[in-house]
Structures are given as structure tokens and as C-alpha cells.
Amino acid sequence: MRALVWLFRAFLFFVLFAFALNNQHEVALKWFFGYESRAPMVFVVLAAFALGCVAGALAMLPSWWRHRRAARSHRPAASASATSETPARGEAAPPPSPEPMMPPRDGL
């Protein structure tokens, strides 16, 4: 399965690389009030993609913070009291409480 994922990534890289090589022409970006700038098309497309990623991440932040705050409030209070107790000299420390395991990711 990992080999298939890496083959897909390599294919995607080469397709995007070929796209960049085919779009090296200079384009004119016309802004407001008659301002115009020129840049290679591949940079314009890359900048538009990057701005879209930043806008998507910023739109996701409030929801992420809300979920994080909810997860913190649902954490059991017993773990805080267990860490404050120190074992006596010569005694073994209690084993750490097991935390839920996260399922493995596919790697995409």
C-alpha cells in the first residue's frame, strides 16, 4: 500500500512539474486604478493556491479551538491528582494510566 501511495505522489509531482514547465509565459495582472504587474503564470497559480490554503486554514481555526477547548474540559481530573502524589523512598512509581490509541494514518 505504501508503494502505491508513493507512486501516486510521484505521478502527481510530475504532472504538476510538467504543468509548471508548460506555463512559463508571462501574464499581466491588472489590479485596480490601472495598476498592472507582470509575472510568470506558474507563480500566479502557485500564489493563488497558497492564498487559498491560508484562507482555508484561517477559516478552520475557530472550530479547531472550540474542539480543543471541549476536549480539555472533558479530561478526567483524576490524572492531575495522581501526578501530584510522589511515591515514598524505595517504592516503585505507579504505572502511567493508559491513554487511548489513535488509529494509524494512511500517509496521505
Side-chain angles (χ1 to χ4, degrees):
M1 183 66 183
R2 285 188 181 191
L4 187 63
V5 169
W6 278 105
L7 282 174
F8 176 73
R9 288 178 181 171
F11 172 75
L12 187 64
F13 171 78
F14 286 117
V15 166
L16 293 175
F17 187 70
F19 175 78
L21 288 178
N22 287 330
N23 290 297
Q24 292 181 358
H25 306 320
E26 193 170 281
V27 294
L29 297 172
K30 297 182 185 199
W31 303 92
F32 298 108
F33 308 114
Y35 181 71
E36 180 178 307
S37 60
R38 295 185 170 274
M41 184 183 293
V42 69
F43 290 142
V44 173
V45 171
L46 181 64
F49 176 74
L51 286 174
C53 288
V54 168
L58 288 177
M60 186 183 68
L61 270 179
S63 173
W64 182 67
W65 284 334
R66 190 171 30 252
H67 287 291
R68 186 173 171 160
R69 197 174 325 120
R72 281 187 181 167
S73 68
H74 285 78
R75 212 177 261 173
S79 63
S81 64
T83 57
S84 64
E85 298 174 4
T86 56
R89 204 168 224 196
E91 285 185 30
S97 61
E99 293 188 22
M101 297 289 294
M102 296 296 294
R105 292 179 48 172
D106 284 344
L108 286 178

